[in-house]
Each structure stands twice: as structure tokens, then as C-alpha cells.
């Protein structure tokens, strides 16, 4: 079940969203992050990196509260 989209700023920041407990199953859950666009580092400056990158994520923490 998809959560509503979040707008991300162009700088490092903490982003939080609430996902209702009933969207989580006991056991293994899949979490997918999707992005509207990406940019190749080689398009921004002197880089040979041709990968299409959308975000740098330091960590993802999930807390399910009753």
C-alpha cells in the first residue's frame, strides 16, 4: 500500500512520515522508495558517473507504534 508522496528539499534533512500500523504485516515487509526524477553526476560537473541518482540516504528507521 503506497503512502502519500513527500516533497524532499535539495539539502540534507530529516524527513518523517507516519504510516498507519494496519499497513504493516507481521514478519517481513517490503519498503520501496521511488523518486520522480534523477540526475547523472556527469551532467552536473566533472564526473564519469553515468548513473541516474535521485537521493542520498544516510539511514532509514521504521518504528511501528500501537
Amino acid at each position: 500500500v503506497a503512502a502519500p508522496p513527500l516533497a524532499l528539499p535539495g539539502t540534507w534533512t530529516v524527513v518523517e512520515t507516519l504510516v498507519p500500523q494496519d499497513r504493516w504485516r507481521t514478519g517481513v515487509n517490503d519498503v520501496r522508495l521511488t523518486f520522480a526524477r534523477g540526475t547523472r553526476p556527469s551532467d552536473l560537473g566533472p564526473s564519469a558517473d553515468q548513473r541516474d541518482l535521485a537521493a542520498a540516504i544516510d539511514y532509514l528507521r521504521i518504528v511501528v507504534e500501537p
Side-chain angles (χ1 to χ4, degrees):
V1 177
L6 297 171
L8 299 177
T11 59
W12 282 99
T13 189
V14 173
V15 178
E16 295 180 354
T17 186
L18 298 175
V19 179
Q21 182 180 4
D22 62 359
R23 295 205 181 163
W24 299 99
R25 301 185 312 252
T26 300
V28 176
N29 289 265
D30 293 321
V31 175
R32 181 176 298 165
L33 304 176
T34 56
F35 299 90
R37 65 180 179 82
T39 302
R40 295 183 305 182
S42 60
D43 292 341
L44 300 175
S47 173
D49 193 342
Q50 296 289 315
R51 297 176 297 159
D52 208 17
L53 304 176
I57 298 171
D58 185 34
Y59 68 92
L60 178 66
R61 180 177 67 169
I62 297 172
V63 178
V64 180
E65 296 181 347

